[in-house]
Amino acid sequence: MLRVGFGEVDITPAAGYARAGMPSPQKGEGTAWPLMARVAVFDDGIEQVAIVALDLLFLNAQTVADYRQAMTAGTRLLPSQVMITCTHTHWAPHMTAIMDEDTAFDYLDFVRLRLTAATTEALANLKPARLKVAGIDADGWAFNRRPIYRTSQGEQVGTQGPHWIPDFVRMEGPADPQLQILMAEGMDGAVLGGLVNFTCHTTVGPDQSEYSADYPGPLVARLAERYGGVFGFLQGCAGNVWQVDMSAARPQVEHGTAYTRKMGEALADKASEALESARTVDAPQIRVASETLHIPQRRPTSEQVAQAKWFLEQRPEDVDLHAQHQRMYGREWTFWRNWENLDQPEAYESALWQEDWFARGTLGMWEWQRRVGTRELVEDVEVQVMAIGDVALVAYPAEYFVEFGLRTKHDSPFASTFVMELGNGWHGYVPTTEAFAHGGYEARFGDASRLVPEAGDSMCATGRRLLRRLAD
């Protein structure tokens, strides 16, 4: 008989840590919604696995390996049987050095200790259980953020841009409105907890300089209040999906604490609606498979390196930022921006900061690669799949484009397939090959987008192959 146990601990830090995920990060001075670590353990009597949901931006693969060792020491769990995911909230401390900020190593150690405690709790709570699974479309809460525009250089993406301007052509890709929930009930009918899967960047944010779990916080809290037990959030492939609908002439940019609650609780209501027609998971035998790919990084051109050095060291005070962008990337846009507004001081300073950040990112990658001592720098990228009966969970370690998540689900031989990004590591944005042709923020070379264009297809093919292997 299947046994299931859940554990959760608060990992909200003390005030004073810079919050990862946004330019010029502010320090957290309070808590809009607590950060949590949640662990679900499944045991079929032969195999035992753990699925972790952390309210963090992301973890690198080395930290994942450290956490797996710590949380499984002295238990039946094996490190290879643990799947660690992050909700991708942009309002938690730095677990990796990005955007000029160093890793908060003392907080990283704190999370390791708390995660170990949550695992101990989940193992102690193992009880015979039945699983229910359900899915539903939750339209109107998530939108693709990559519009294509007509420019003098052909069709190009301006990330997060409007749809209503004359040069708008079409959206590059879709969103994924599907919300899925896997819920465990004890043999007495009491709810033990569950896992919720939805696809949308966690960038709604608090009103003030506060820590926040973003919309997954109120989502899982509402489910826990309604049913009891512990619920964790599994982020879908949201590399190019966010919460703002830019199709209106005057789009309402949805953000802030009130919208965080509104979105989270609305999604919880959709989960409850889905559970009204949930099915029971038959023969919940556990299987696990993973494969590590060796994927090269892209390299900057010598012209990009020279241009970045010039911009950082020799640029005049009145440097033409639009021309700089064109020379560095050969693109009209990264994020969508009306270059005509650069005559306004505030807009110019913002654009100057961004171009400075991009140039330093290019040089940072160049320095990293030139010191490796090999012809190319290759990253070890783990793709992991777990199956519990006819339910599969697929973890990709990147800010993965929604097209890959949809393809994985479409080709899966399982009745229900949960697909997650930022599972067991972070290797930057991994866009589609079409996205590289169109440019935009997610495809711009730097530490946040560094793997070769074929990486996404390779990872997706691996996930689908592992699904077929477990189904057999």
Side-chain angles (χ1 to χ4, degrees), residues 186-394:
M187 305 313 290
D188 59 357
V191 173
L192 307 178
L195 300 169
V196 185
N197 183 209
F198 186 67
T199 303
C200 184
H201 245 79
T202 33
T203 48
V204 181
D207 297 326
Q208 308 296 329
S209 299
E210 298 171 313
Y211 304 117
S212 175
D214 214 89
Y215 71 85
L219 193 173
V220 298
R222 173 59 65 92
L223 292 175
E225 292 169 2
R226 187 170 290 165
Y227 299 107
V230 174
F231 287 82
F233 180 80
L234 305 176
Q235 179 63 268
C237 298
N240 51 345
V241 177
W242 69 334
Q243 80 277 8
V244 184
D245 181 3
M246 294 292 284
S247 64
R250 293 182 179 274
Q252 182 176 352
V253 180
E254 306 290 12
H255 61 80
T257 302
Y259 194 78
T260 295
R261 181 180 292 275
K262 177 181 178 181
M263 181 173 176
E265 293 185 350
L267 292 173
D269 290 342
K270 295 300 291 187
S272 294
E273 183 181 343
L275 285 170
E276 293 175 3
S277 55
R279 65 176 182 83
T280 300
V281 178
D282 293 327
Q285 178 190 8
I286 295 171
R287 294 91 78 203
V288 184
S290 66
E291 187 173 328
T292 299
L293 307 178
H294 309 294
I295 301 179
Q297 293 181 349
R298 312 196 304 277
R299 286 185 176 274
T301 65
S302 57
E303 291 79 11
Q304 284 178 311
V305 172
Q307 185 64 34
K309 287 182 176 180
W310 173 86
F311 184 76
L312 294 173
E313 298 170 2
Q314 303 177 42
R315 68 173 184 254
E317 290 188 4
D318 59 347
V319 62
D320 185 335
L321 296 178
H322 191 187
Q324 159 69 13
H325 195 87
Q326 292 275 9
R327 284 192 289 267
M328 279 291 293
Y329 309 108
R331 304 284 184 184
E332 183 74 17
W333 313 111
T334 293
F335 289 107
W336 179 82
R337 183 169 63 242
N338 184 350
W339 294 105
E340 297 175 358
N341 288 339
L342 295 184
D343 57 351
Q344 301 175 13
E346 185 174 344
Y348 184 87
E349 287 300 318
S350 176
L352 178 64
W353 185 93
Q354 182 172 281
E355 293 303 315
D356 188 88
W357 166 34
F358 290 168
R360 285 183 286 112
T362 297
L363 287 183
M365 288 298 301
W366 174 71
E367 291 285 2
W368 181 12
Q369 292 170 343
R370 69 195 286 259
R371 283 169 168 74
V372 171
T374 60
R375 291 185 181 273
E376 62 182 7
L377 200 156
V378 176
E379 299 193 31
D380 294 336
V381 179
E382 179 190 0
V383 178
Q384 185 187 39
V385 178
M386 290 183 176
I388 305 170
D390 60 1
V391 177
L393 300 100
V394 185

Side-chain angles (χ1 to χ4, degrees), residues 62-121:
Q62 292 78 13
T63 300
V64 169
D66 178 31
Y67 283 6
R68 280 171 159 170
Q69 289 289 343
M71 62 187 288
T72 59
T75 75
R76 273 187 54 220
L77 278 169
L78 299 174
S80 60
Q81 307 289 84
V82 175
M83 177 184 287
I84 299 181
T85 74
C86 293
T87 63
H88 199 46
T89 177
H90 285 51
W91 322 106
H94 285 80
M95 305 296 280
T96 302
I98 57 168
M99 291 185 178
D100 304 327
E101 297 291 328
D102 293 329
T103 302
F105 286 107
D106 56 343
Y107 180 68
L108 185 150
D109 294 340
F110 168 75
V111 172
R112 185 202 301 111
L113 291 172
R114 301 296 287 156
L115 179 56
T116 301
T119 306
T120 300
E121 180 183 339

